[in-house]
Amino acid sequence: MKVFIVPPNSLILFDLVERFGHKPLSIMGALSEKVTSKEIESPPLNVTVDDVKKGLKYAGIEVPSGIRGRLAIYGPLIDEAEAAIFMEDAPYMFGCVGCARTNEMVKLLVRKRKIPLLELDYPANDEEAKAVVQKVKAFLEGLK
Amino acid sequence: MPKTSETRYIVIAPTSSITPDQITRFIHTMAVDIQIKETCFGVIIQGQPEVVAKVLAEVRKLDPNRLFSKVRGFPIGDARRCRAEHGSRPGFTQLEKEWKDLPMFEAGLECAENKGKVCEVPKRKKLPVSELKKICDEVCQQ
Amino acid sequence: MIKIAQLSCGTEYSGVQDEIERAAGAVGGKMVYPDVDLEDIKSAIEKFGFNPVSPQLKLMIARAVNVAEGHYDADAVFIASCFRCAEAALVRTELRKYIQEHTRLPVVTYSFTERTKSAQMLTRMEALVTIVERKELLARERQVGLTAGIDSGSSTTKAMIMRDNEIIGKFWLPTQDVFSSADTALEKALAEAGVKREQLEAIGTTGYGRFTLGKRFNAKLVQEELTTNSKGAVWLADRQKGEATIIDIGGMDNKAITVRDGIPDNFTMGGICAGASGRFLEMVAKRLHVEITELGQMADKGDYKKVPMNSYCSVFGIQDLVTSLAAGNTMEDVASAACHSVAEQIFEQQLQEIEVRYPVIQVGGTSLISGMVRAMEDTLGQRPIVPPHSQYIGAAGAALLSSGFLEGH
């Protein structure tokens, strides 16, 4: 199954989803298609004015351009997701997930899809991590 | 259109004794058409998706719970994300933090494998206002 | 290569990163991102004292602290974030103050939309690079020899002839064709000065048409209007030493520039809407059927408080004007309200992006409208200095700076 992950650039979640037999839908994968496209109009990420306009599908014109540009990349991934895992309170989220407002909107868009969803808190120690990994494993195995 | 190339991070947990150089040499012995770049936290590999998947599966076997992987958006050596050109990538600090936390997840994976007993750690709850008021009153009276 | 440290959020996802880099590259600058690691971010947030929710803003703060503490070597700072993002707007302004408090680096702030193009940022980048690269030139306080400055603005073209630090000729006219307007302005100014074009030792060009005219007149100096105007303003106002803020309300865009010893260190340019420009005042004058030159005195006699006027949009502003007249308000009150409306928007937008330092020097064509100066005074709580020939700042600055290229002086 295609599993959307939050934070969408997380190494750990990506790895766990794949390790337990599913296909993680990650922002890196979506960006990889953009940045290796033959026509690079807007380096570095090749998010163009048209992409930002496509973001209007998810948020209105009064929403800052950076949010609409991000949503234009996340949106199609969310649309094709069959399940999702959120790891809340990840201590630091940078790069692709730099905008907190976008991240909240992304979670709402996923919830509205009514797909199987596992919500976890980022662990603070080994004991919590054990519970997190067990839950992720059980959730992903349950999807098969 | 099927993807012709995929770029992947292979990140070595701080608890692993494997070095990026060992992984590189290991991949070389597989004699497959793949590009490898060593980094401070592991290696980046790039090639046809099926080759990348095959290599990754073999590399993982070296230290299953201490090697982690994810896709990378930019190809190896892309000037748009070159540290020498622009300074560190925006996502570097995220990777740095996750790398530091990998031992935690290693413990989690081991536990999951052994079907270890997991005690649900209760969430820290906030003190009810009435409790806090009681404490305030007590402290004030002292 | 001038290294411009970019402290920003949202540029890559708005499709404007390349535009920023192109604007910098076009004027010999290079955008750089100060390197930080995880620990730097934690300590920077503590030092800075504001902990934003968005991680990219945290990163922005860490990069700023890195520059401020001298760990990262940059020549200038560009701070940018998405237009309409409240959290980023707070960080952007506070970071600008922080950089200015801790460094002497020139700073410019900018809020962009997906439509932002490199051309819109070019003047700002050019100014940043000029401030770094031409410090010695900008430090020039006296004009020498016989030089001319031509300011090809969006509304008017101005020319000034100077000899040995004295103005000997000047002329202005509405801009039509860039070439012929400049030719006429220069010829008339030369005639007033009583000198011939061949006698000129150097020419400087500035304003929208600076590149085109620079080639045509073989100018020794082709310079954007932010640095040129501030130089002209402090020279005309005789405020070359110390600090000042220059407010230049032009035909199409406004500039607010802070200077230290005549060299800009922070500036903002442009408005969101024409509601804060000279063009709006022209529209008002036209609607009131008076000359723009009469609008100021008319405004002086009016009471702006009687007329509510939208300060953010010229179209709505004119609508308010029409309604007010219909409701029986006097032309004087309406004229006064129009001036206040412009002043308000300058205050609410431009002046929030810089630290106002006194004295304020008000220049540009609109500084000749007395009601506009009074409106700025009411808004600022202090009367701005309006130097003589205040509409000629660009031409004066260009004439002054171009003399810096003369050999033997």
Side-chain angles (χ1 to χ4, degrees):
Chain A
M1 266 196 188
K2 292 174 182 171
V3 183
F4 186 78
I5 53 173
V6 172
N9 63 346
S10 168
L11 162 73
I12 292 161
L13 277 181
F14 190 101
D15 183 279
L16 292 180
V17 169
E18 206 171 40
R19 198 181 278 259
F20 296 125
H22 293 276
K23 180 179 162 47
L25 290 170
S26 73
I27 188 80
M28 300 80 70
L31 282 175
S32 143
E33 279 171 30
K34 287 199 88 59
V35 302
T36 53
S37 138
K38 274 188 191 143
E39 286 165 22
I40 303 285
E41 292 170 43
S42 179
L45 300 183
N46 209 21
V47 175
T48 63
V49 175
D50 283 342
D51 287 321
V52 183
K53 280 187 202 153
K54 280 180 203 153
L56 286 169
K57 182 179 167 194
Y58 308 100
I61 191 73
E62 73 277 19
V63 172
S65 51
I67 295 185
R68 282 182 284 124
R70 288 173 194 270
L71 289 176
I73 304 171
Y74 289 122
L77 290 180
I78 297 170
D79 292 343
E80 67 173 301
E82 295 164 296
I85 302 177
F86 295 173
M87 189 109 87
E88 298 282 0
D89 290 331
Y92 281 95
M93 304 209 295
F94 295 101
C96 311
V97 287
C99 171
R101 302 287 156 256
T102 310
N103 298 340
E104 286 307 314
M105 190 62 195
V106 161
K107 284 187 269 183
L108 175 69
L109 291 172
V110 171
R111 288 190 181 110
K112 281 162 80 173
R113 291 269 338 270
K114 309 242 183 270
I115 51 177
L117 169 65
L118 175 65
E119 296 192 56
L120 304 158
D121 283 329
Y122 192 90
N125 50 47
D126 284 8
E127 287 313 303
E128 288 183 14
K130 284 178 191 172
V132 163
V133 176
Q134 292 265 37
K135 282 182 189 170
V136 170
K137 190 182 177 198
F139 175 76
L140 292 170
E141 283 175 351
L143 292 176
K144 282 177 185 167
Chain B
M1 205 177 70
K3 280 190 70 178
T4 52
S5 175
E6 184 174 272
T7 312
R8 279 265 180 172
Y9 284 115
I10 300 177
V11 180
I12 308 166
T15 39
S16 176
S17 56
I18 291 183
T19 62
D21 174 56
Q22 278 174 308
I23 295 182
T24 308
R25 278 185 282 134
F26 176 79
I27 298 174
H28 282 316
T29 61
M30 291 176 73
V32 286
D33 184 16
I34 201 158
Q35 208 183 332
I36 315 165
K37 183 179 188 288
E38 287 178 37
T39 73
C40 49
F41 49 79
V43 298
I44 307 175
I45 55 174
Q46 184 175 308
Q48 285 181 345
E50 52 275 24
V51 180
V52 169
K54 190 177 141 197
V55 168
L56 187 64
E58 291 304 314
V59 172
R60 271 189 195 282
K61 287 179 193 162
L62 295 175
D63 199 354
N65 293 344
R66 296 192 190 95
L67 293 177
F68 291 78
S69 175
K70 74 165 179 175
V71 160
R72 185 187 203 246
F74 283 87
I76 291 175
D78 195 300
R80 287 169 290 179
R81 278 293 183 263
C82 170
R83 190 168 193 162
E85 280 276 319
H86 294 294
S88 58
R89 292 175 305 101
F92 180 73
T93 28
Q94 160 109 9
L95 198 60
E96 196 185 352
K97 172 64 183 161
E98 287 196 290
W99 173 78
K100 281 186 183 161
D101 287 348
L102 288 180
M104 246 177 10
F105 289 89
E106 177 196 341
L109 285 168
E110 273 170 20
C111 176
E113 264 170 28
N114 305 327
K115 306 243 183 311
K117 196 169 163 259
V118 176
C119 307
E120 187 65 51
V121 186
K123 266 196 176 181
R124 230 180 65 161
K125 282 193 183 141
K126 295 215 165 100
L127 205 61
V129 178
S130 55
E131 281 291 308
L132 180 64
K133 188 173 180 299
K134 227 166 85 187
I135 294 169
C136 286
D137 290 343
E138 279 169 20
V139 173
C140 289
Q141 277 166 9
Q142 279 171 13
Chain C
M1 186 67 76
I2 305 299
K3 282 160 75 181
I4 305 170
Q6 182 179 329
L7 312 175
S8 65
C9 182
T11 55
E12 295 186 343
Y13 293 89
S14 299
V16 301
Q17 182 59 35
D18 188 45
E19 304 290 335
I20 293 172
E21 290 182 15
R22 258 195 279 163
V27 292
K30 181 178 165 60
M31 302 313 293
V32 292
Y33 316 111
D35 230 354
V36 290
D37 61 30
L38 204 57
E39 289 306 314
D40 294 337
I41 296 170
K42 281 184 204 159
S43 68
I45 298 288
E46 276 166 30
K47 278 179 201 158
F48 185 63
F50 183 105
N51 187 10
V53 185
S54 286
Q56 183 68 25
L57 295 177
K58 293 181 203 274
L59 196 57
M60 204 167 146
I61 292 168
R63 286 175 166 166
V65 171
N66 218 353
V67 172
E69 292 187 344
H71 304 311
Y72 190 86
D73 191 23
D75 302 306
V77 180
F78 179 75
I79 307 177
S81 64
C82 295
F83 175 55
R84 294 195 195 99
C85 176
E87 191 182 31
L90 290 171
V91 173
R92 198 178 65 222
T93 308
E94 291 307 319
L95 274 190
R96 190 259 305 151
K97 291 180 192 168
Y98 185 84
I99 293 282
Q100 283 194 297
E101 215 174 282
H102 291 86
T103 74
R104 299 293 296 251
L105 299 175
V107 189
V108 63
T109 53
Y110 196 69
S111 65
F112 52 82
T113 71
E114 69 271 29
R115 294 178 193 278
T116 300
K117 292 287 162 222
S118 60
Q120 290 161 271
M121 280 174 288
L122 197 62
T123 304
R124 295 166 178 84
M125 292 292 185
E126 194 184 343
L128 273 186
V129 169
T130 303
I131 293 163
V132 179
E133 235 176 10
R134 294 185 159 175
K135 259 213 163 105
E136 272 176 44
L137 180 71
L138 293 181
R140 167 165 290 274
E141 293 180 3
R142 281 180 63 80
Q143 184 272 348
V144 291
L146 178 65
T147 62
I150 305 170
D151 177 3
S152 174
S154 62
S155 293
T156 56
T157 301
K158 286 118 332 199
M160 184 178 269
I161 314 294
M162 288 171 83
R163 180 189 276 144
D164 299 333
N165 214 33
E166 296 285 337
I167 301 168
I168 56 170
K170 60 193 181 313
F171 193 78
W172 75 269
L173 75 164
T175 305
Q176 286 171 328
D177 169 59
V178 170
F179 280 142
S180 62
S181 303
D183 266 334
T184 312
L186 184 62
E187 286 313 318
K188 298 265 188 183
L190 284 166
E192 187 186 311
V195 292
K196 293 202 166 60
R197 199 190 276 202
E198 311 80 76
Q199 290 175 271
L200 291 173
E201 293 172 88
I203 292 181
T205 61
T206 187
Y208 279 93
R210 62 184 177 280
F211 293 112
T212 323
L213 295 182
K215 250 186 221 162
R216 166 131 174 158
F217 291 109
N218 193 21
K220 286 209 158 59
L221 173 100
V222 178
Q223 195 65 60
E224 41 60 47
E225 51 272 30
L226 285 158
T227 47
T228 314
N229 287 14
S230 35
K231 200 68 214 171
V234 294
W235 185 83
L236 285 167
D238 197 17
R239 293 277 173 167
Q240 307 231 33
K241 288 282 173 236
E243 298 189 325
T245 303
I246 295 153
I247 298 179
D248 179 1
I249 310 171
M252 296 246 268
D253 52 35
N254 316 305
K255 298 163 200 85
I257 311 160
T258 55
V259 293
R260 208 181 263 148
D261 295 337
I263 299 177
D265 55 6
N266 184 204
F267 46 85
T268 124
M269 188 185 168
I272 300 302
C273 166
S277 68
R279 190 56 56 95
F280 175 61
L281 295 177
E282 274 177 16
M283 287 162 71
V284 170
K286 204 173 164 196
R287 181 61 187 76
L288 294 177
H289 302 291
V290 295
E291 289 297 317
I292 183 89
T293 46
E294 297 168 58
L295 190 75
Q297 283 145 342
M298 199 177 226
D300 284 338
K301 292 178 206 140
D303 181 359
Y304 71 93
K305 290 179 190 132
K306 288 183 183 165
V307 180
M309 192 171 283
N310 185 307
S311 61
Y312 283 91
C313 170
S314 57
V315 175
F316 291 153
I318 296 293
Q319 226 173 49
D320 287 340
L321 177 158
V322 174
T323 319
S324 304
L325 286 176
N329 284 294
T330 65
M331 303 236 293
E332 283 79 8
D333 290 345
V334 169
S336 173
C339 292
H340 268 85
S341 170
V342 172
E344 248 171 55
Q345 198 184 138
I346 302 278
F347 182 74
E348 287 169 14
Q349 293 194 358
Q350 249 93 65
L351 297 185
Q352 302 312 311
E353 296 266 320
I354 59 159
E355 202 79 48
V356 178
R357 298 182 196 143
Y358 293 94
V360 169
I361 306 173
Q362 191 174 342
V363 291
T366 55
S367 61
L368 301 177
I369 301 171
S370 56
M372 195 55 240
V373 180
R374 211 188 83 185
M376 278 318 305
E377 179 184 354
D378 288 346
T379 313
L380 292 168
Q382 199 176 84
R383 190 161 185 82
I385 298 171
V386 180
H389 316 303
S390 58
Q391 76 274 39
Y392 283 100
I393 31 147
L400 167 63
L401 292 176
S402 66
S403 78
F405 290 93
L406 299 184
E407 280 174 28
H409 287 283

